[in-house]
Amino acid sequence: WIYGVESGTTVDELFGNYITVQGDGYMVITAKHSNIASTGSTVKVYDRNGTDDTADDELVESFDVVVYGDINGDGKIDKTDRIMVDSAVAGYFTLSNGERWTYAPGRQDECPAMHRAGDFDVNSRIIVADSALMDMAILYGVDQTTGVVNES
């Protein structure tokens, strides 16, 4: 997981301000939404193996970005995310750790990062307490390093 990324951070800002690769490696970021490094975006780290030929590059690690409160992966923490948490609490769909969920007809995602972004009380379930914390996150923000919702 990559934590600490503020909502609305662009892919370029993620490269420049948040993460670096040492040695002859490089990163490839696949944004989930536009050019925003949002929940569900993926950062892959490759080793060049000492050559300029990308054919022999080795994938070293892959990380998912988690922006606490950004459940739908659009880079914002807003009422759409709150609706997703409320819908999960009400049983309209399952937003559980690593399981497939259906939110709208024809749309299915499998994204543990989305679960992590909405599990504010860190109990591996999306429950009523997460819904209340989501309200506070929209109003007061979230510490993106710890996932703790600001109280004012």
Side-chain angles (χ1 to χ4, degrees), residues 88-107:
V89 169
Y92 293 121
F93 67 88
T94 303
L95 182 60
S96 60
N97 200 4
E99 293 180 15
R100 185 169 298 278
W101 59 271
T102 302
Y103 178 60
R107 175 179 171 183

Side-chain angles (χ1 to χ4, degrees), residues 67-88:
V67 177
Y68 291 108
D70 176 28
I71 316 305
N72 66 350
D74 68 355
K76 298 178 273 187
I77 302 169
D78 58 19
K79 65 182 178 181
T80 303
D81 301 299
R82 167 61 197 266
I83 290 167
M84 292 182 74
V85 169
D86 288 349
S87 296

Side-chain angles (χ1 to χ4, degrees), residues 11-84:
V11 169
D12 292 337
E13 291 169 334
L14 184 65
F15 273 129
N17 300 329
Y18 289 92
I19 53 178
T20 59
V21 175
Q22 296 179 343
D24 70 344
Y26 64 95
M27 292 178 285
V28 174
I29 298 178
T30 304
K32 182 160 178 72
H33 182 79
S34 187
N35 190 37
I36 302 296
S38 58
T39 297
S41 295
T42 304
V43 177
K44 293 184 178 181
V45 180
Y46 292 90
D47 183 357
R48 284 192 168 89
N49 290 319
T51 70
D52 289 334
D53 183 7
T54 58
D56 65 349
D57 293 354
E58 178 183 352
L59 175 64
V60 177
E61 192 70 61
S62 181
F63 302 94
D64 288 327
V65 174
V66 173
V67 177
Y68 291 108
D70 176 28
I71 316 305
N72 66 350
D74 68 355
K76 298 178 273 187
I77 302 169
D78 58 19
K79 65 182 178 181
T80 303
D81 301 299
R82 167 61 197 266
I83 290 167
M84 292 182 74

